[in-house]
Amino acid sequence: MSEFFNPDKETMSQDELRALQTQRMAALLERAYKNPAHKERFDRVGAKPGDFKSLEDLAAFPTMSKVDFRTNYPLGLNLAPRADIREMHQSSGTTGTPVVMPYTEADLAQWGECMARCYRMAGANPGDAVQITPSLGLFNGGFGFYHGARSMGMFIIPASAGNTPRQVALARTFGTRVLGAVVSYATRIMEVLEEEGGELPDLEIGIFGAEVFAPSMKEKIKKGLGIEVYDIYGMTETGGVGTLGMDCSAHDGIHLWEDHYYVEVLDRETGKQVPDGEEGELVVTALTREALPVIRFRTGDLTRVISRDKCSCGRTHIRLDTITGRVDDMLIIKGVNFFPGQVEQALMEIPGVCPHYQIIIEDDDGVKDVRINVEAEEGVTGFTVEKKLKEALGFSPKGDVFKPGELPRQEGKAQRVFFESKKK
Ligand code: DLL
């Protein structure tokens, strides 16, 4: 059986991809201009869809962000007739107004195809049992795994979030081969398995994402569950999990579905494209979505282009590095800038450390300090943690070591950073 879900599209040459993107982009800009919110955005900077001739011309068009979703809440950016909307998802965010993503029938098929490509890329086959552990609800995670599995023709176990002992029992009873999860939930399943002392003999493939996923964490989960682990990427605004791609078994970058999405990596300050290999903010245009295609959407995610060359797996689409963090997650403590993902990377490199940790930012009347709470097996001390982080990040946080199981567990995306104010 082919390793590709859609071999023609997944192996198009870069030249063919550029031509397809150019044609799709031109049509998209014309279509979006009929929407009052986009028209207003384009007019503000004097960008006219008719002036777009090549992908270089896109730089003249404005970027958009979550703010555009919020000011046009709930469906102001939707281009499809209301009667054609078949499903919606939304992400809550932290500022109150949610980001809403509507889907037409064609959008659901596009999502299903992107996800099916990911399943296939991970080595999943039609008929395999896939267990879906992100919640099937407004969060796109659960339904994305579902639509992709429908497109592939898999045996779907829509377990949704929570009740981990039941998840393990389901996997055992129905022979789950593929597990879809938010990264931190995969560690929870691992933990319950360890407590029970059992194994999941049929489980071979883990497709995890939604959170920063440090290479050392991947390694820990891979070993802990004894499976191959894939890093899947996507977001509400682009149409959900898997829309932006995943790494293949060569694990040499996230294959981004370029026939569906056009990406730029921009310098945050200048808004200019950075050279390949340099880190910047990922900006995405959705070329094939009917209801709500984003145009130059500033994702807030930091990454870099790893390669535009054909991968050893045969796929030709651009490859991006794993997401190192979000622009707004950067922490500055005692003059040192760092991202939570760097803390994760360093912590998971310490032998005996468990994948459950918290980064506490203590604010003592304006003076900030960091405390790391981390679970670890006997023998790992606060000093070990402090030394490792000093080496990795250049400053010395306090390290507090907890016994396995002592820190709180979450079912959705894990909150890793906490702020504590000591001001009276
Ligand atoms: O988290 C989609 C998803 C669900 C991806 C399940 C993978 C698995 P949102 O809730 O809209 O959608 O959050 C999107 O999560 O901008 C990134 O900051 C982060 N994110 C998603 N995937 C990854 C990943 C889903 N593989 C936001 N690595 C994005 C790092 C990720 N961060």
Side-chain angles (χ1 to χ4, degrees):
M1 171 177 261
S2 160
E3 286 169 39
F4 304 104
F5 181 75
N6 187 339
D8 292 348
K9 289 288 181 323
E10 292 173 61
T11 61
M12 282 173 90
S13 74
Q14 278 282 313
D15 286 348
E16 286 168 334
L17 280 167
R18 290 294 90 77
L20 183 65
Q21 288 180 321
T22 309
Q23 174 210 327
R24 288 185 164 168
M25 186 72 78
L28 167 65
L29 295 173
E30 291 289 355
R31 206 158 64 85
Y33 199 61
K34 298 193 182 96
N35 169 282
H38 280 301
K39 181 173 187 309
E40 206 265 320
R41 290 186 334 104
F42 288 10
D43 287 348
R44 215 182 306 146
V45 296
K48 293 198 175 51
D51 293 344
F52 175 87
K53 299 282 179 267
S54 74
L55 291 165
E56 286 72 54
D57 299 332
L58 192 65
F61 287 79
T63 57
M64 59 189 284
S65 70
K66 282 185 192 293
V67 175
D68 293 280
F69 276 85
R70 297 199 166 118
T71 46
N72 293 291
Y73 179 81
L75 289 170
L77 292 170
N78 169 41
L79 309 182
R82 169 79 189 220
D84 290 351
I85 306 298
R86 294 285 171 273
E87 188 169 316
M88 64 164 276
H89 288 279
Q90 71 175 37
S91 63
S92 48
T94 45
T95 56
T97 314
V99 166
V100 177
M101 178 51 56
Y103 297 74
T104 63
E105 200 66 55
D107 291 334
L108 292 174
Q110 186 259 15
W111 195 9
E113 150 126 29
C114 290
M115 271 304 289
R117 288 186 194 182
C118 294
Y119 278 128
R120 203 71 204 93
M121 186 154 60
N125 296 312
D128 282 352
V130 55
Q131 191 160 327
I132 301 175
T133 69
S135 69
L136 284 114
L138 287 172
F139 176 49
N140 68 74
F143 273 96
F145 279 103
Y146 176 82
H147 290 303
R150 291 280 298 157
S151 300
M152 268 277 283
M154 299 172 84
F155 176 148
I156 299 171
I157 307 170
S160 209
N163 198 343
T164 315
R166 187 185 66 181
Q167 300 274 7
V168 169
L170 278 169
R172 238 180 234 134
T173 309
F174 296 100
T176 296
R177 177 166 186 249
V178 183
L179 181 68
V182 168
V183 175
S184 48
Y185 195 64
T187 67
R188 177 75 190 120
I189 292 182
M190 206 161 102
E191 180 176 53
V192 169
L193 262 179
E194 270 164 27
E195 280 163 15
E196 290 186 1
E199 281 183 7
L200 296 177
D202 298 307
L203 188 65
E204 290 178 11
I205 300 168
I207 302 185
F208 307 141
E211 296 173 320
V212 157
F213 201 3
S216 55
M217 179 67 100
K218 268 174 213 158
E219 213 42 47
K220 217 174 234 325
I221 299 177
K222 206 172 134 177
K223 284 214 186 93
L225 288 173
I227 59 173
E228 192 62 56
V229 169
Y230 295 86
D231 181 353
I232 193 159
Y233 183 44
M235 62 194 69
T236 312
E237 295 86 347
T238 60
V241 53
T243 50
L244 294 181
M246 195 181 78
D247 55 346
C248 68
S249 53
H251 302 297
D252 195 12
I254 293 170
H255 290 262
L256 185 121
W257 306 128
E258 278 195 284
D259 51 329
H260 291 296
Y261 296 90
Y262 177 73
V263 290
E264 304 162 83
V265 180
L266 302 187
D267 180 307
R268 286 189 52 224
E269 306 303 323
T270 64
K272 298 250 174 347
Q273 184 119 18
V274 300
D276 284 1
E278 266 181 39
E279 189 171 83
E281 181 178 358
L282 187 73
V283 173
V284 181
T285 300
L287 300 168
T288 53
R289 294 196 69 93
E290 238 177 29
L292 207 165
V294 284
I295 301 171
R296 303 197 82 207
F297 176 69
R298 294 187 69 143
T299 62
D301 291 336
L302 296 167
T303 184
R304 63 192 178 99
V305 173
I306 286 189
S307 177
R308 293 177 193 268
D309 296 337
K310 187 172 175 175
C311 177
S312 55
C313 73
R315 289 178 185 81
T316 46
H317 299 215
I318 195 171
R319 275 173 286 149
L320 302 176
D321 203 355
T322 184
I323 307 304
T324 47
R326 288 189 57 80
V327 169
D328 36 16
D329 280 350
M330 190 172 79
L331 298 161
I332 307 177
I333 308 293
K334 295 182 174 163
V336 179
N337 302 354
F338 67 97
F339 287 94
Q342 291 173 284
V343 174
E344 177 171 299
Q345 173 64 23
L347 286 176
M348 296 308 128
E349 281 175 3
I350 305 172
V353 156
C354 307
H356 304 278
Y357 67 94
Q358 299 177 325
I359 303 169
I360 317 279
I361 310 297
E362 299 171 333
D363 187 336
D364 192 350
D365 224 356
V367 180
K368 289 205 179 95
D369 223 327
V370 189
R371 195 175 76 237
I372 306 291
N373 293 339
V374 62
E375 290 180 6
E377 289 157 17
E378 244 169 82
V380 180
T381 64
F383 178 71
T384 325
V385 172
E386 286 162 20
K387 188 165 165 276
K388 176 75 192 180
L389 286 163
K390 168 91 182 148
E391 280 163 18
L393 300 176
F395 71 96
S396 301
K398 279 174 263 167
D400 272 349
V401 175
F402 291 73
K403 289 204 187 83
E406 280 190 345
L407 292 176
R409 301 286 188 265
Q410 287 141 339
E411 283 174 2
K413 298 194 191 207
Q415 187 183 353
R416 300 292 196 193
V417 183
F418 299 82
F419 293 89
E420 278 179 12
S421 176
K422 286 191 175 165
K423 197 174 171 186
K424 299 268 151 54

